[in-house]
Each structure stands twice: as structure tokens, then as C-alpha cells.
Amino acid sequence: MTSGTRRRLAPDVRRRQVLDAAVAVFSEEGLHGASMDAIAARAGVSKPLVYAHGGTKDELFAACLAREADRLVSTLTTAALPDDGSGASSADARLRRALRAFFGAVTTHRQGWTVLYRQASTGEFAGTVDAARRGIVRRAAELLAAELGGSAEAAEPVAHTLVGAAEGLTDWWLGAERPAGDQEPADLLADMLMAVVWPGLDALRRP
Amino acid sequence: MTSGTRRRLAPDVRRRQVLDAAVAVFSEEGLHGASMDAIAARAGVSKPLVYAHGGTKDELFAACLAREADRLVSTLTTAALPDDGSGASSADARLRRALRAFFGAVTTHRQGWTVLYRQASTGEFAGTVDAARRGIVRRAAELLAAELGGSAEAAEPVAHTLVGAAEGLTDWWLGAERPAGDQEPADLLADMLMAVVWPGLDALRRP
Amino acid sequence: MTSGTRRRLAPDVRRRQVLDAAVAVFSEEGLHGASMDAIAARAGVSKPLVYAHGGTKDELFAACLAREADRLVSTLTTAALPDDGSGASSADARLRRALRAFFGAVTTHRQGWTVLYRQASTGEFAGTVDAARRGIVRRAAELLAAELGGSAEAAEPVAHTLVGAAEGLTDWWLGAERPAGDQEPADLLADMLMAVVWPGLDALRRP
Amino acid sequence: MTSGTRRRLAPDVRRRQVLDAAVAVFSEEGLHGASMDAIAARAGVSKPLVYAHGGTKDELFAACLAREADRLVSTLTTAALPDDGSGASSADARLRRALRAFFGAVTTHRQGWTVLYRQASTGEFAGTVDAARRGIVRRAAELLAAELGGSAEAAEPVAHTLVGAAEGLTDWWLGAERPAGDQEPADLLADMLMAVVWPGLDALRRP
DNA sequence: GATGAATGAGTGTTCATTCAT
DNA sequence: CATGAATGAACACTCATTCAT
């Protein structure tokens, strides 16, 4: 009430604050289940401020989708680079590394893309979601094409398959009781998925 | 309005009519996006009738989930039986047949399970959806265990992976322009998926 | 379903059956709280039959009001006659007898007038209720005028007072724990009320 | 609509505004007959505002009950104090003064307690109403006990009787054409009621 | 610039009432 | 005739969105 009680923050910071809260609430309550009140409360700001920095509820959700999708894409891209300085690594090692990155992202940062995009796979957001998902898959296809040879277009169905498989495995892991094990989850999941798909992918390299 | 005076129908018929409309609208608009008005309008009946035959919105959605899940499960189960009279068929043939059945189901009857279950992975329905999905995956795990040996429990992560992969591939196929080809879609998709996963699965048979 | 399963009853009997059920349900659930379904169920008949024999919900409620009011009026009238053949009884004995009759009626037949008229003292039924209540009070005024002398008109405010007092006392008795006592409730209540009002009424006889 | 653009008012003012409208509409239409739309319209505000300041319909009704009951109780309590500075007044004068206060309250502020409490004697509000009514009657019993001697408990049935009588007399006065007279209504009614009950009450003082 | 207060539009749900059988 | 099946109209309640302060 006295001027100065509420801190005046830089727009970028405020925006991130709002987006973080929005991602959290959308993940927990769902697109329609989340209320702007809840998001404002979670962000610790007033509702009009949410509108000022995040726009309409739809715009806000779209922004959340975009940011989380970007995060995932950059994670994948980074992971595709050689681990250490030594550029020498085999194809399966690079793929395993990418998968580990994917699983690492979705198992640590649970309220991310994997949770968000399911909530809007239909309805007015179908298009937005689909576009974002295709972005991810396309990046995967590029990585695959680099390993397996062939064009990125040709690799797309395989990429979709792979991403779907990874999501399915993630569902299993997120689901019930985790099997006890000393392995890092991301390593375990990457190994499991590689065991199923690598022989087939390897055979596809030179038809 | 549509058909003139109000017709009197058998309860079973009406119930199916309502469920069909509900599945359609839920698939298009999502759980929260769908309004009971819209469902009633789609079914060509009045709203109270929807309540009479489908119960609460939540109950109605649960009923949709259950019906579509059952459909898919029985499709898979039927497909696991030997094609012709000859009981002699190899493991990969049986798996390919099951996959063909799955793809056939989800590509023909598009507004089905695959669309529905994604909408409710969060929120109050998480439990219901998860249970239904686990039913499907468990059936897949049983089929897999029969082929690969080992317990159904051990096969569960693989089953999740497989179902996820199939869903991902379906997304691709439902997505953009379908590649022209004379093959039946279900056959094409089953072949693609088999190419990726069978070598790996085969290697898992005897560790 | 087979013809003859449902008994065909005389219209009067049916009507009474319906009215009884309606009074019971209205008393328990209130005017708006009662549903025609509930009334039909309580009467053991189908809903259209309720409409056939009882008319609209409003008409049905009005009929209930009228019947119960009549019951009370005739109770009062009967009670005002000399108890036995001997016409010789004092004024206070006759008044006490009428009060005993009133209290007897409302304490035994609890779902009667006293419960019903309160539910509709306002709204669309205000008029109906008021008319019925005035009927009761007018009868009381006639009885009072016969005892106290003077015209029935002059006795009306006194009659209202008396009926209100009796209702208030009834509320108390129906309320919490009844004081243990061997006296019949109606006798007890009549005595209590007489103790308060008779001296005053007696003084009014000859101003 | 009524007053043009939306005004911003202090919460207390708005709350009273809403409560006033609610009491008015509940009195006219009854608990179930009143719609939140009607209350909002009567208050000249939008429906959500009614919810913001009055809560659920049930809570709103309960608040109305409570406020009107409090009003009546404080009226009675105030009236029991000596009129002028002279603390010396007889028992019948004090009782007459309390009755005058009661009649003054219910004849001036017609849409008050007397109208409200009758609407909810059955159903979910029976408890709330009964509690409130008991509060009023208990206050009356305390006043009576102070005059007549004895405990407040013992005075309760008498208090119920008295309150009922007063309500009955009020009904008569509110009812048809008022008898022309120069007396203040409250004085007239108090005198009439005193004439009927005082001799009896006086006789109860020393049994 | 940040906010409490206010609203328009829409949702799920129920009920009195009536055809068609 | 008596009924199950169907509906139109309404109601309580909520939420995304925006002024006035």
C-alpha cells in the first residue's frame, strides 16, 4: 500500500516469474482446470499483472508450450554434440546420449513439455501443440538422419516412433513404483530403449 | 428439431447414441472444452436425456474411456489368435498381426481411445485414465510375454515402449499428408514399426 | 405390464392416496423441496397419474392446504359441542376443550396444517394460505364470540392472538426435549395456555 | 444499467446493500422461490457480486436470518431498560414497553424476521432457524423471568406462547384493513395483547 | 504501474410437465 | 388407462476479463 512495498521488477524477470507459475499450475490442474486466479496466486502477484505480462489465458498457455518445447529441443541439440573434446564416438553412443538427455529432462523437470502438451492435444490448441511437437520430432529426425544416413524427411516416421516410444517408457517410469536400482533413471531408461530399438535402427542404416 | 417429433427409442440404442456423440465431442473439444450442450446437440437429443443415459459429465467421460479401452483390448486379444486354422505361426508373425490390428483400430476409428486418454492424464481423471491405460498395456505385456518368454511384469516396460511407439507412429500417419502407397495403412505402419523394434525384441528373447 | 398387474382403483380412493403422499412429502421436504417424482414414488404410482388426480404441483399443494385446513376447522367445531349429552358446561371448560382439540390435532397428526402453511406464507401462495388461515381464525373467532359475547368481528384480533399463542406453544412442545409428565400432551398444553389467557379473556367478557 | 457505469463501493456498504436486497426478495418470494438473479437485480448489481459478498444462497439466507434476529433481540433488550431516568416502573409497564418495541419493530420493518423464519421451518434450514428463534425466545424468557420470578427455563413455554401470540396479532394487523384509530399501531397492539395476557401472567407471579 | 472490485457470458444440473406406447 | 421416455426452461455457481482507484 505504501509505495515501495511491492517491488518493481524488470519486465523480463516478471515475465519469467509469471511463466514459471503458469507452467506449474497448468501442469497440475490442466489447461481448463487452471484458473487465472490460481496462476496469479502462485506467482505471488495480482491478476491484472498476469494479464499485463502473460496476455490472455490462451496466449499464456501457448507461451508455456513454446518455452518448454524450446527447452527440450535445445537439450536434445546440446546432447548430440560430442560429450568431451574427443570427437570420436560411435553412432549408438551418440543416440544413447541423446536419449539420456531426453529422459533426464523429462524425469527431472517433470512439469515440462511432456505434461503440458497432452492437455491440449485437442480443441483450439491442437494446431499449436502439433506444431510444437513436430518441431521436437523434426529435430530428432535430423539427429537420426545424421546417424543413419538418408534425408531428414525419410527419418521422420522413425523419429515419431522413437519419440513415442520414449514417451511411453517415461509414462511407465513416472507411473507406479520405480524399480529400485543404483542406475540413474535417465541411464536406465536410455538403456532399456536402446535395447529395443538399436538393433532395428542399426539394420536400417544400410538397407 | 432435426427429426421432428420426439421419437421413443430403446434404452440401449439411446445410450449408444449418447455415448457415440460424447466420444466424438470429447475427442474434438477435450474433456473440459466439451459442454454437455454440445454433446446433446451432437446426439440430436435434449440435455436431460444425456444426463438420464450418461449421468454426470464425469461419469459420461469415464464411460467413454471404458468403452473405447475395451474396444481396443478386445481388438488386440482377437488379433492374437492364429489367423487361419493353422495354429503354427512364428512369433514375429503374431506380433505383426497384433500391431496390424492396433493400427487398424486407431486409423479407422480415429475418435477413439488414443485421442481420449491424453486429455485426462492430469487432474481428477488421472487415476481412471491411468487404470484404463494400464489395462491396455497389461494386455500387450501378456502378449509380449507369451512371445518373448518371461513374466508379464518384466514385459511391462517393453509393452509401454511398444504402445508409445505405435502411438507416435500413428500420430505421424494421422498428421500430415499420407505417403501414397498401395499398401493398407495398417500393414504399412505395422511393417515400419516391426522393422524398428523386432530385431531388438528378438534379441531379448534369449538374453 | 400384463394387464391387470396394476389395480384399477376408484378415482376418490386414488385421489386420497395421492393427497396423502403429497401432504407427507410437502411436510418433510417443503414446497419447493418436494419433487413430483418423490410424491409419485411415495404414493406408489406413476408420475402422470399424480398429474391426472392431483393436477399441477401448485394445484396439488393448494389441495393439500385446503384439506388440512378443513380438518382442523372441523376438529375445532366438533370440540365446541358439549362433551356428553349434558349441555351444562362453563365457558372456560368449553374453551379448554377446544384448545385440547387443537393441540391434540397438531401433536398427533404432525404433518398437518401447522407444518404446511408455513412453507408458503410468502410467494405465489401467500393469498391461498392467508385465506385458509383466516378460515381457521374466523371459526375460532365465532367460538370465542359465543363464549365472550360480542360480535365475531370484534373477536377476531383476540382469535388471532389465541391461535398464534397456541402455535407458539406447539412450536415449543415440538421443539426440544419434551418435559416428562404423565399428562396427555394436549391436556398439558391446553392447561398451560389457559393459565395464561383465561384470566384476561374472562375479564373481557363484560367490559 | 440503473446507475450507469459501475461504481466502486466500500465492502461494508456493498455487503449491506446485498443483504437488504436479499431480505426483501426472500421475504417476498420465499427461500426457494427467490433466485440469485432476482436478488442481484434487486440490489442493482451483478450476480457474481452477490456471491462475493453474500456467499452461497444458503449462506446468504443464513446471514439474513442472523441479522434480522439480532435486530429484534437488540430491540427487545433496549426496550427492557427503564424508559426515562427513573428506574422505578412496575412489572406490567416494563412488559408493555417490551411488547410495544416488538410490535414497533415488526410493523415498521415489515420484511424482517417474522417473515423470514417461517420459510425455513422445514428442510435443511430447520436447525439454523430454530436456533435463531430460540435466541429470540430465550431473550423474551429472560425478560419474563425477571418480571415473574422463577428461572428462565421455566419461563420458556410462556415466552413461546407470548411470542406466538404477538406474531398472531401482528398477522391480524398486517392482514386486512387496519381499524382506524389515532393510537400508534404499536401502542394499540401492545394494549390488546396486554389485556389478554397480563391478568394470567400476573396470577402466575406468586402461585 | 499495480490493484481490488466488478461484470458478462457460460456451465453443469435439475424439475415440472407432456407425448407416444 | 397407466406408463416410461423425453423435453423446455430455469437455477446456482464460476471464471476470464476489465475498469476505477
Side-chain angles (χ1 to χ4, degrees):
Chain A
M1 280 194 183
T2 41
S3 83
T5 299
R6 309 273 176 214
R7 289 276 305 285
R8 185 82 175 282
L9 268 61
D12 297 5
V13 181
R14 277 277 197 238
R15 182 175 166 81
R16 197 160 63 211
Q17 197 181 356
V18 168
L19 268 186
D20 286 342
V23 168
V25 176
F26 280 135
S27 295
E28 289 169 12
E29 314 284 348
L31 166 54
H32 283 89
S35 77
M36 294 298 264
D37 283 280
I39 294 173
R42 176 75 66 110
V45 299
S46 79
K47 207 169 9 164
L49 201 146
V50 173
Y51 278 86
H53 290 269
T56 290
K57 191 187 185 183
D58 285 9
E59 294 166 1
L60 186 55
F61 186 75
C64 291
L65 275 181
R67 194 182 71 171
E68 298 300 318
D70 280 357
R71 264 195 197 166
L72 209 50
V73 167
S74 62
T75 299
L76 290 182
T77 304
T78 306
L81 300 176
D83 219 354
D84 39 26
S86 88
S89 57
S90 60
D92 64 332
R94 283 190 295 271
L95 181 55
R96 174 178 279 112
R97 212 159 52 223
L99 291 178
R100 206 161 42 206
F102 178 89
F103 287 120
V106 300
T107 53
T108 18
H109 185 47
R110 289 229 214 148
Q111 307 177 327
W113 162 258
T114 358
V115 179
L116 284 188
Y117 89 94
R118 299 219 169 155
Q119 320 207 333
S121 49
T122 48
E124 35 188 2
F125 276 92
T128 312
V129 167
D130 215 54
R133 190 170 205 271
R134 273 169 202 285
I136 293 178
V137 175
R138 168 147 283 263
R139 183 75 198 104
E142 289 167 6
L143 295 176
L144 269 180
E147 302 305 337
L148 306 181
S151 71
E153 282 75 23
E156 278 219 346
V158 179
H160 267 99
T161 308
L162 208 53
V163 170
E167 285 171 351
L169 197 48
T170 305
D171 277 352
W172 166 77
W173 190 81
L174 290 177
E177 46 325 327
R178 254 61 102 233
D182 356 334
Q183 248 184 328
E184 274 288 308
D187 282 328
L188 171 68
L189 295 172
D191 285 348
M192 292 179 102
L193 187 48
M194 282 299 283
V196 173
V197 299
W198 180 249
L201 293 178
D202 195 30
L204 287 176
R205 295 174 79 174
R206 298 247 170 334
Chain B
M1 266 191 190
T2 20
S3 71
T5 45
R6 54 179 168 183
R7 290 264 311 280
R8 224 182 130 136
L9 263 62
D12 297 1
V13 180
R14 270 285 142 91
R15 182 177 165 80
R16 202 159 58 210
Q17 197 181 355
V18 168
L19 267 186
D20 285 343
V23 168
V25 176
F26 279 135
S27 294
E28 288 170 13
E29 313 283 350
L31 168 52
H32 286 92
S35 77
M36 295 298 265
D37 281 285
I39 294 174
R42 175 75 64 108
V45 299
S46 75
K47 209 172 4 167
L49 197 146
V50 173
Y51 278 86
H53 290 269
T56 291
K57 191 186 185 183
D58 284 8
E59 293 167 0
L60 184 55
F61 187 75
C64 292
L65 274 182
R67 193 182 73 170
E68 298 302 317
D70 279 358
R71 267 195 194 167
L72 210 50
V73 167
S74 63
T75 300
L76 289 183
T77 303
T78 307
L81 300 177
D83 221 353
D84 39 26
S86 87
S89 58
S90 62
D92 64 333
R94 285 192 294 270
L95 182 55
R96 174 179 279 111
R97 210 158 54 221
L99 290 177
R100 206 160 44 206
F102 178 88
F103 287 118
V106 300
T107 53
T108 319
H109 184 51
R110 288 225 216 155
Q111 307 172 326
W113 162 257
T114 358
V115 181
L116 283 187
Y117 90 94
R118 296 211 173 161
Q119 322 208 333
S121 46
T122 338
E124 36 191 356
F125 271 90
T128 313
V129 166
D130 215 53
R133 186 167 213 268
R134 270 166 206 286
I136 292 180
V137 174
R138 170 146 282 260
R139 184 76 198 103
E142 289 167 4
L143 296 176
L144 270 180
E147 302 304 339
L148 305 181
S151 70
E153 281 76 23
E156 278 218 344
V158 180
H160 267 97
T161 308
L162 206 53
V163 170
E167 286 171 353
L169 196 47
T170 307
D171 278 352
W172 166 75
W173 190 81
L174 292 177
E177 55 310 338
R178 250 65 96 235
D182 359 332
Q183 245 185 329
E184 274 287 308
D187 281 328
L188 171 67
L189 295 171
D191 285 348
M192 294 179 99
L193 187 48
M194 282 299 282
V196 173
V197 299
W198 179 248
L201 293 179
D202 195 29
L204 286 176
R205 295 174 79 174
R206 295 261 172 312
Chain C
M1 279 195 183
T2 41
S3 83
T5 299
R6 309 274 177 212
R7 290 276 306 283
R8 184 81 173 284
L9 267 63
D12 297 4
V13 180
R14 277 279 198 234
R15 182 173 166 83
R16 198 159 63 209
Q17 197 181 355
V18 168
L19 268 186
D20 286 342
V23 168
V25 176
F26 280 134
S27 295
E28 289 169 12
E29 314 283 347
L31 167 52
H32 283 89
S35 78
M36 295 299 265
D37 282 280
I39 294 173
R42 176 76 66 110
V45 299
S46 79
K47 207 167 11 163
L49 199 145
V50 172
Y51 277 86
H53 290 271
T56 289
K57 191 188 184 183
D58 285 9
E59 294 166 2
L60 186 55
F61 186 74
C64 291
L65 275 182
R67 193 182 74 170
E68 297 301 317
D70 279 358
R71 265 195 195 167
L72 208 51
V73 167
S74 63
T75 300
L76 290 183
T77 304
T78 306
L81 300 177
D83 220 354
D84 39 27
S86 88
S89 58
S90 62
D92 64 332
R94 284 192 294 271
L95 181 56
R96 174 178 278 111
R97 212 158 53 221
L99 289 178
R100 208 161 41 209
F102 178 89
F103 287 119
V106 300
T107 53
T108 17
H109 184 48
R110 288 227 215 151
Q111 307 177 326
W113 162 257
T114 358
V115 179
L116 283 188
Y117 89 94
R118 299 219 168 156
Q119 320 207 334
S121 48
T122 47
E124 38 189 0
F125 276 92
T128 313
V129 166
D130 215 53
R133 191 170 204 270
R134 274 169 201 285
I136 294 178
V137 175
R138 168 146 284 263
R139 183 76 198 103
E142 289 166 5
L143 296 176
L144 269 182
E147 302 304 339
L148 306 180
S151 70
E153 282 76 22
E156 277 218 343
V158 179
H160 266 98
T161 308
L162 208 54
V163 170
E167 286 171 354
L169 197 48
T170 306
D171 277 352
W172 167 76
W173 190 82
L174 291 177
E177 47 325 325
R178 253 63 100 231
D182 358 333
Q183 248 185 328
E184 274 287 308
D187 282 328
L188 171 68
L189 294 172
D191 285 349
M192 292 178 104
L193 187 48
M194 282 300 282
V196 173
V197 299
W198 179 248
L201 293 179
D202 194 29
L204 288 175
R205 296 174 79 174
R206 295 240 169 346
Chain D
M1 269 189 189
T2 21
S3 71
T5 43
R6 54 178 169 182
R7 291 264 312 280
R8 226 184 127 133
L9 264 61
D12 296 1
V13 180
R14 269 283 141 90
R15 182 175 165 81
R16 201 159 59 210
Q17 199 181 355
V18 168
L19 268 186
D20 286 343
V23 168
V25 176
F26 280 136
S27 294
E28 289 170 13
E29 314 282 350
L31 167 53
H32 286 91
S35 78
M36 294 299 265
D37 281 286
I39 294 173
R42 174 75 65 107
V45 299
S46 75
K47 208 177 357 171
L49 196 147
V50 174
Y51 278 87
H53 290 269
T56 292
K57 190 185 186 184
D58 284 9
E59 293 166 0
L60 184 55
F61 187 75
C64 291
L65 275 181
R67 193 182 72 168
E68 299 300 318
D70 279 358
R71 266 194 194 168
L72 211 51
V73 167
S74 63
T75 300
L76 290 183
T77 303
T78 306
L81 300 176
D83 220 354
D84 39 26
S86 87
S89 58
S90 61
D92 64 331
R94 284 192 295 270
L95 181 55
R96 174 178 279 111
R97 212 159 52 221
L99 290 178
R100 206 160 45 205
F102 178 89
F103 287 118
V106 299
T107 54
T108 319
H109 185 48
R110 287 225 217 155
Q111 306 172 328
W113 161 257
T114 358
V115 181
L116 284 186
Y117 89 93
R118 296 212 172 160
Q119 320 208 334
S121 45
T122 337
E124 35 189 358
F125 271 91
T128 312
V129 167
D130 215 53
R133 187 167 213 269
R134 270 168 205 285
I136 293 181
V137 174
R138 171 147 282 261
R139 184 77 198 104
E142 289 166 5
L143 297 176
L144 271 180
E147 303 305 337
L148 306 181
S151 70
E153 282 76 24
E156 278 218 345
V158 180
H160 268 98
T161 308
L162 206 54
V163 170
E167 286 171 354
L169 196 49
T170 306
D171 278 352
W172 165 76
W173 190 81
L174 292 177
E177 54 312 338
R178 252 64 98 234
D182 356 332
Q183 247 184 329
E184 274 288 309
D187 282 327
L188 171 68
L189 294 171
D191 285 347
M192 294 179 96
L193 186 47
M194 281 300 281
V196 173
V197 299
W198 180 247
L201 292 179
D202 195 29
L204 286 176
R205 295 175 78 173
R206 296 259 171 313

